[in-house]
């Protein structure tokens, strides 16, 4: 079954209803294009939030950086509220010991976390790190850069922990130092925990897309992109759904994981992108407490182990009055944990260290042993972020991709939403060339 040519005029199909897909669809709808978005499951992807007895569970720990994502949300009229994480009382974990985490030169001078030589070097790096040009070290791994630039092993370990925190990635042998340093520098501007969880962003983007006239079809799976022509003349003609129906379209944006995009197209270039995409995974334990035993300690960072704890509800409305939402995580690298039960027990021990007595106050909990936090690590051998593919798929007219693995801008949600804006801009430019008398434009 081939789509009717007349029906394809100006129609765009967006596949995937996560942040990238919703933002792409909203931009294109506002530009005057006819847009249909298909999502195989629940809208929102990794940004969904679940409510259990008044406690709001994000899908693992989430923080909104003040960068590309905020710009896109502002463009699309999506509002949100929240606060920066509480820093006072933050600790670093080394073995079974808990040390105050230095926040400035004054606290660094007395920190038990570092030896005297390491403190001196740390004081230098507090001002120096902001002046490092990430573009000059994109092709170095985090490990190579730390070994080359940082003298004290303790300081190397601390910087690696902070980069791991900023990027959600525990793969220093492959991760680009330039990408990690740029994200660390961005983190110095602060992040936000969101009132109501990240579902507020999902709901806001759904509202923006619908207001722009986008047709949103959840629980509707696109099985295959339909192409016409051959060689340099190959182009999109529509999509085939799981039930066999063909939806005509002149443009398709695949806002999905590269493996899903490859399966839907069977194109060599997308198969290559899928193979090259190495994920960063996190094991996440989310604990809802009726009372926080130790409010004076809101945050803990593993220094010698890739561990994290943060009480998100101290900065955002995520729990009933008097209750708390605590996120504990282990950064896994690219592979799933061999023994999830062992990882969960380790995360419970972190809670024992930082929030002793927590078990007596558990209202409910959730363990996600193998969450993909980053779809594709920004690898040094690919030149960091500039080495990412897309949004245009080469060799095929009318086919684009979007997501946190696409385009040279941002990381995490910033990358997802920046790629959405870029993909939408390219689609609009293509439509303008096809209909010069119809000046589509991103609003």
């Amino acid at each position: 079954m081939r789509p009717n040519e007349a029906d394809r005029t100006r129609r765009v199909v967006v596949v995937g209803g996560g942040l990238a897909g919703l933002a792409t669809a909203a931009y294109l709808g506002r530009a005057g294009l006819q847009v249909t978005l298909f999502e195989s499951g629940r809208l929102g992807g990794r940004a969904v939030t679940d409510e259990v007895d008044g406690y709001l569970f994000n899908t693992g720990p989430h923080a909104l950086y003040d960068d590309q994502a905020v710009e896109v949300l502002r463009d699309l009229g999506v509002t949100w509220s929240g606060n920066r994480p509480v820093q006072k009382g933050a600790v670093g974990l080394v073995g079974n010991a808990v040390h105050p985490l230095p926040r400035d030169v004054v606290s660094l001078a007395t920190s038990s976390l570092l030896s005297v030589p390491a403190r001196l070097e740390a004081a230098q790096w507090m001002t120096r790190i902001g002046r490092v040009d990430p573009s000059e070290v994109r092709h170095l791994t985090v490990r190579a850069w730390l070994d080359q630039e940082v003298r004290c092993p303790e300081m190397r370990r601390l910087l690696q922990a902070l980069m791991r925190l900023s990027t959600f990635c525990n793969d220093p042998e492959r991760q680009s130092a330039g990408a990690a340093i740029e994200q660390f520098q961005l983190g110095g501007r602060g992040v936000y925990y969101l009132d109501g969880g990240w579902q507020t962003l999902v709901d806001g983007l759904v509202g923006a897309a619908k207001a722009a006239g986008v047709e949103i079809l959840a629980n509707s799976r696109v099985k295959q992109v339909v192409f016409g022509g051959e060689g340099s003349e190959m182009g999109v003609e529509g999509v085939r759904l799981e039930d066999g129906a063909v939806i005509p379209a002149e443009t398709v944006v695949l806002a999905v994981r590269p493996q899903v995009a490859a399966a839907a197209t069977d194109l060599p270039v997308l198969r290559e992108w899928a193979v090259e995409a190495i994920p960063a995974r996190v094991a996440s334990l989310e604990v809802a407490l009726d009372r926080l035993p130790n409010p004076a300690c809101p945050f803990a960072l593993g220094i010698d182990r890739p561990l994290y704890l943060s009480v998100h509800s101290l900065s955002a409305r995520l729990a009933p009055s008097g209750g708390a939402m605590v996120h504990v995580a282990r950064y896994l690298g690219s592979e799933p944990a061999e023994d999830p039960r062992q990882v969960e027990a380790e995360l419970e021990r972190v809670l024992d260290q930082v929030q002793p007595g927590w078990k007596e106050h558990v209202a409910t909990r959730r363990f996600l042993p193998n969450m993909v936090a980053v779809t594709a690590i920004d690898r040094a051998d690919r030149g960091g972020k500039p080495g990412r593919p897309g949004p245009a798929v080469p060799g095929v007219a009318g086919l684009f991709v979007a997501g946190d693995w696409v385009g040279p801008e941002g990381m995490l949600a910033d990358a997802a939403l920046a790629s959405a804006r870029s993909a939408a801009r390219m689609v609009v430019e293509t439509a303008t060339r096809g209909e010069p008398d119809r000046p589509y434009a991103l609003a």
Side-chain angles (χ1 to χ4, degrees), residues 274-436:
V275 170
E276 291 289 334
I278 300 172
R281 302 176 188 271
V282 173
S284 171
L285 175 61
E286 304 159 18
V287 182
L289 304 177
D290 60 28
R291 184 176 69 82
L292 187 66
N294 184 16
C297 189
F299 178 86
L301 179 65
I303 307 302
D304 60 340
R305 293 165 294 160
L307 301 171
Y308 162 98
L309 177 147
S310 185
V311 185
H312 286 218
S313 56
L314 289 176
S315 302
R317 294 193 297 273
L318 297 168
S321 178
M325 276 299 308
V326 185
H327 286 269
V328 198
R330 180 181 178 91
Y331 304 97
L332 298 174
S334 61
E335 298 298 328
E338 292 184 5
D339 187 348
R341 290 174 298 179
Q342 189 177 51
V343 173
E344 186 173 12
E346 180 182 34
L347 299 180
E348 290 179 344
R349 288 194 293 273
V350 173
L351 278 162
D352 290 337
Q353 281 184 286
V354 179
Q355 295 292 334
W358 65 277
K359 290 180 181 177
E360 300 173 8
H361 299 283
V362 174
T364 185
R365 58 188 283 174
R366 181 173 69 176
F367 180 54
L368 304 174
N370 183 31
M371 186 184 78
V372 173
V374 179
T375 301
I377 297 167
D378 293 315
R379 289 161 42 190
D381 64 356
R382 306 286 290 182
K385 290 192 289 186
R388 295 177 191 161
V393 177
V396 184
L399 186 62
F400 302 85
V401 291
D404 69 338
W405 57 281
V406 174
E409 298 178 277
M411 190 178 288
L412 304 167
D414 287 314
L417 292 178
S419 73
R421 182 173 54 191
S422 295
R425 185 176 292 119
M426 291 182 180
V427 172
V428 167
E429 289 173 353
T430 301
T432 302
R433 287 197 296 270
E435 288 185 57

Side-chain angles (χ1 to χ4, degrees), residues 1-3 38 220-224 226 238-248:
M1 179 179 179
R2 297 287 293 275
F38 293 93
S220 185
R221 180 173 175 265
V222 170
K223 184 177 181 180
Q224 186 180 26
V226 179
V239 295
R240 180 174 287 107
L241 305 185
E242 196 168 32
D243 63 5
V246 174
I247 308 301

Side-chain angles (χ1 to χ4, degrees), residues 18 27 52 65 126 139 158 162-163 184 212 235 242 246 323-324 355-356 420:
Y27 270 126
V52 181
Y65 282 78
M126 279 189 169
H139 292 279
L158 175 59
L162 293 171
M163 291 180 185
F184 178 73
E242 196 168 32
V246 174
Q355 295 292 334

Side-chain angles (χ1 to χ4, degrees), residues 14-292:
V14 177
V15 182
L19 295 183
L22 290 168
T24 302
Y27 270 126
L28 293 175
R30 291 174 62 169
L33 296 167
Q34 180 185 350
V35 184
T36 303
L37 182 147
F38 293 93
E39 165 55 48
S40 61
R42 177 180 173 184
L43 293 170
R46 296 196 299 263
V48 299
T49 304
D50 295 309
E51 181 181 352
V52 181
D53 298 330
Y55 294 91
L56 298 175
F57 287 76
N58 287 321
T59 309
H62 281 56
L64 182 66
Y65 282 78
D66 190 4
D67 197 43
Q68 307 281 343
V70 171
E71 292 179 8
V72 171
L73 295 169
R74 187 182 299 117
D75 281 351
L76 296 175
V78 176
T79 60
W80 53 271
S81 64
N83 294 285
R84 300 188 187 279
V86 176
Q87 294 187 355
K88 185 178 181 181
V91 299
L93 306 178
V94 180
N96 294 322
V98 177
H99 303 268
L101 199 62
R103 295 181 290 121
D104 50 36
V105 174
V106 175
S107 60
L108 181 63
T110 57
S111 173
S112 61
L113 184 66
L114 301 171
S115 65
V116 172
R119 289 180 208 168
L120 294 174
E121 187 174 17
Q124 297 171 353
W125 275 107
M126 279 189 169
T127 57
R128 182 181 172 190
I129 191 69
R131 298 196 298 267
V132 175
D133 184 351
S135 67
E136 294 183 353
V137 292
R138 288 172 180 157
H139 292 279
L140 281 180
T141 66
V142 168
R143 173 72 66 229
W145 182 81
L146 288 170
D147 289 344
Q148 175 180 299
E149 298 292 334
V150 184
R151 297 188 306 274
C152 293
E154 294 170 83
M155 188 57 203
R156 285 199 294 270
R157 192 170 62 177
L158 175 59
L159 271 179
Q160 183 178 328
L162 293 171
M163 291 180 185
R164 190 166 58 223
L165 170 68
S166 300
T167 64
F168 280 74
C169 179
N170 181 29
D171 198 337
E173 282 76 25
R174 281 187 287 208
Q175 186 182 28
S176 162
I181 291 169
E182 185 174 354
Q183 189 70 5
F184 178 73
Q185 291 171 337
L186 177 61
R189 288 162 43 182
V191 300
Y192 295 92
Y193 295 160
L194 302 187
D195 294 330
W198 277 53
Q199 189 67 40
T200 59
L201 303 186
V202 176
D203 294 344
L205 288 169
V206 169
K210 289 183 176 179
V214 175
E215 180 184 22
I216 297 178
L217 300 175
N219 300 306
S220 185
R221 180 173 175 265
V222 170
K223 184 177 181 180
Q224 186 180 26
V225 180
V226 179
F227 301 109
E230 295 181 358
S232 61
E233 301 299 320
M234 186 176 183
V236 166
E237 291 196 340
V239 295
R240 180 174 287 107
L241 305 185
E242 196 168 32
D243 63 5
V246 174
I247 308 301
E250 65 178 8
T251 305
V252 171
V253 181
L254 296 171
V256 293
R257 292 182 294 112
Q259 295 80 9
V260 176
T265 60
D266 199 30
L267 294 173
V269 63
L270 277 165
R271 291 200 300 270
E272 179 183 346
W273 290 354
V275 170
E276 291 289 334
I278 300 172
R281 302 176 188 271
V282 173
S284 171
L285 175 61
E286 304 159 18
V287 182
L289 304 177
D290 60 28
R291 184 176 69 82
L292 187 66

